[in-house]
Amino acid sequence: MNNERLAIRYSKSLYVLSEKQNNTEVVLRDLKEVLSIIKQSKDFKNFLLSPILKTNTKIEIIRKVLETSISENTLKHIILITKNTREAYLSQIISNFIKLYRKQKNILSIKVKSPHGVHKDQKDLIIKYLGYSENQKIDFQVEINKSLIGGLVIEVDGKQLDISILSKLQTLKTKFSKNLYIKQY
């Protein structure tokens, strides 16, 4: 089975279950916590990807690591994913759950990378440029990245607009690295 299809199926089932139990917000918060643990801990990520460890061992470790930080329902679903030996796709499943949640709740997710941060009027201009409608909620995240030198990188729904000085310099570098001189006879 395709990894993306697998992740979509598990995330949809978790979303439908959380809607029926009326605890979608709790599950979302829990999954964001698990995703941050996966991103921050290389050891935990490698543990999830390991084909050597037995499923029962993985379930015990997952239970010990996550039981104090997430709800019981979310933990049960993660254990179910592990029992089905799909724990290697957990970060994809969580990312798809978050996308599905944002789509269902009509939330526009904007991630802006900037070397110095974003002012309120810049934020309003970005939102206006992206075609914000009044019935949408906005999740606006700013990440400071000094290597951009200047400008912005805006990401919305998997699309990226890169208007940073760093990207302009890289473009110039590739243009100048080509030999444009053609010897004429």
Side-chain angles (χ1 to χ4, degrees), residues 101-103 105-109 136-139 157:
Y101 175 83
R102 288 180 178 150
K103 184 177 179 183
K105 300 296 182 184
N106 198 17
I107 299 172
L108 179 65
S109 179
Q136 282 183 313
K137 298 174 190 168
I138 295 183
D139 178 23
D157 296 329

Side-chain angles (χ1 to χ4, degrees), residues 20-85:
K20 284 182 182 177
Q21 294 176 345
N22 204 18
N23 67 348
T24 310
E25 305 296 326
V26 174
V27 173
L28 177 70
R29 179 184 43 98
D30 291 344
L31 291 178
K32 284 183 177 179
E33 178 69 26
V34 173
L35 188 61
S36 72
I37 291 171
I38 292 170
K39 286 181 178 178
Q40 291 174 0
S41 174
K42 188 177 179 181
D43 292 335
F44 190 71
K45 184 177 181 178
N46 290 337
F47 154 76
L48 290 174
L49 297 173
S50 174
I52 298 170
L53 292 171
K54 293 184 180 181
T55 303
N56 291 335
T57 308
K58 283 188 175 185
I59 290 172
E60 285 179 37
I61 294 170
I62 287 172
R63 188 177 298 278
K64 286 180 182 176
V65 169
L66 299 177
E67 71 184 349
T68 58
S69 58
I70 64 173
S71 69
E72 186 63 31
N73 286 335
T74 309
L75 183 61
K76 285 179 183 177
H77 202 77
I78 291 173
I79 289 173
L80 176 67
I81 290 168
T82 308
K83 282 182 182 176
N84 293 338
T85 62

Side-chain angles (χ1 to χ4, degrees), residues 99-156:
K99 287 179 191 174
L100 183 61
Y101 175 83
R102 288 180 178 150
K103 184 177 179 183
Q104 294 296 324
K105 300 296 182 184
N106 198 17
I107 299 172
L108 179 65
S109 179
I110 304 170
K111 185 174 183 180
V112 176
K113 295 178 185 174
S114 169
H116 306 292
V118 177
H119 299 291
K120 169 117 176 69
D121 38 326
Q122 290 173 325
K123 177 182 173 182
D124 294 339
L125 187 63
I126 292 168
I127 291 170
K128 183 179 176 186
Y129 175 77
L130 293 172
Y132 163 72
S133 66
E134 293 296 321
N135 60 348
Q136 282 183 313
K137 298 174 190 168
I138 295 183
D139 178 23
F140 197 91
Q141 301 170 3
V142 177
E143 179 182 318
I144 295 178
N145 185 346
K146 298 283 185 188
S147 68
L148 294 177
I149 304 168
L152 301 169
V153 177
I154 303 170
E155 295 177 22
V156 180

